[in-house]
């Protein structure tokens, strides 16, 4: 693994976990823009201060760590369609990639302390959350 | 730091580095949607296969690891404006956050092997790259 001079190897902090009803990849929408599935972002209490300002009605950008995805493969069939041939993972939205980070834009339905109800999910139940951001469009 | 049962602590692979002309935060645009600054994504040769399918004219989503940003602070003044009060980092685009990952949407100007010329940068020269994705709008 590459080391950047003078920099520690980046280790992610898990800030929370997704609770949802998608339990297998076959059941998952191909991406968030095709989903109305709802679920809950459970953020761990030590990160609660970071949520101040997130309110119902917003769209937020959520980064998930797809801990079940392969990190060793650099070419895939986009959306599983073999007719179009292999493509580099960086030219796709495949969960398979060296750092399996997923970006979702989710609608905030409600906020209750450390629990954020969202819709638009394409991510499996139990997936770790590593970041939340404001969208640029707001 | 939280551990997720049965999961290794996520360690990011650095897949490349940004070469650009933004060398200080004062000189950086506040975000990519306000920038026409150009630069080069140098992707390390061992990840080259993953670039197959990225071509000039596309927009790509690039994730950077902001290795100089603080990871300890959970509330900030958005865009440095103290008149609006403190806000949780997850309700902002601040580089300060537990996992300092930045998301940029960049225009691909040219691709030459492992070097991708891009415009739209708001990121400092020398920043590590951890992922590239297709935008959903293409």
């Amino acid at each position: 693994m590459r080391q950047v001079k003078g920099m520690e190897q980046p280790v992610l902090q898990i800030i929370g976990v997704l609770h949802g009803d998608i339990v297998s990849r076959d059941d998952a929408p191909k991406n968030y823009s095709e989903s109305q599935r709802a679920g809950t972002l459970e953020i761990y209490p030590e990160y609660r201060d970071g949520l101040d300002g997130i309110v119902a009605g917003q769209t937020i950008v959520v980064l998930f760590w797809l801990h079940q995805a392969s990190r060793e493969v650099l070419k895939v069939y986009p959306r599983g369609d073999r007719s179009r041939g292999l493509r580099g993972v960086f030219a796709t939205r495949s969960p398979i990639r060296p750092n399996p980070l997923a970006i979702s834009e989710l609608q905030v339905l409600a906020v209750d302390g450390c629990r954020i109800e969202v819709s638009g999910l394409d991510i499996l139940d139990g997936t770790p959350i590593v970041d939340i951001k404001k969208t640029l469009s707001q």
Side-chain angles (χ1 to χ4, degrees), chain A:
Chain A
M1 202 180 287
R2 290 263 181 169
Q3 291 280 137
V4 175
K5 215 191 309 189
M7 191 185 93
E8 288 177 43
Q9 199 72 29
V11 179
L12 293 176
Q13 294 179 29
I14 305 301
I15 67 163
V17 63
L18 170 68
H19 302 289
D21 65 356
I22 303 173
V23 294
S24 75
R25 286 186 207 164
D26 290 345
D27 183 38
K30 285 292 183 189
N31 63 61
Y32 66 82
S33 66
E34 299 174 13
S35 169
Q36 279 85 47
R37 305 285 282 268
T40 302
L41 310 177
E42 177 199 349
I43 306 303
Y44 299 137
E46 59 267 40
Y47 298 104
R48 180 171 178 165
D49 280 353
L51 301 178
D52 184 30
I54 297 179
V55 295
Q58 280 184 327
T59 302
I60 54 176
V61 178
V62 181
L63 274 77
F64 296 95
W65 180 255
L66 304 176
H67 58 307
Q68 297 183 332
S70 168
R71 305 183 66 175
E72 311 302 326
V73 175
L74 289 174
K75 291 208 175 191
V76 295
Y77 294 102
R79 302 184 72 132
D81 175 2
R82 287 173 179 258
S83 68
R84 294 189 295 168
L86 282 166
R87 195 170 306 174
V89 291
F90 299 130
T92 76
R93 300 287 291 202
S94 171
I96 294 170
R97 53 189 58 248
N99 298 301
L101 292 157
I103 302 171
S104 291
E105 291 199 12
L106 303 176
Q107 314 305 314
V108 177
L109 304 176
V111 181
D112 178 12
C114 284
R115 298 175 70 84
I116 305 174
E117 309 290 329
V118 292
S119 72
L121 287 164
D122 62 339
I123 302 285
L124 296 187
D125 177 59
T127 300
I129 300 163
V130 296
D131 198 17
I132 302 175
K133 294 182 194 298
K134 184 170 86 84
T135 57
L136 281 186
S137 51
Q138 292 175 57

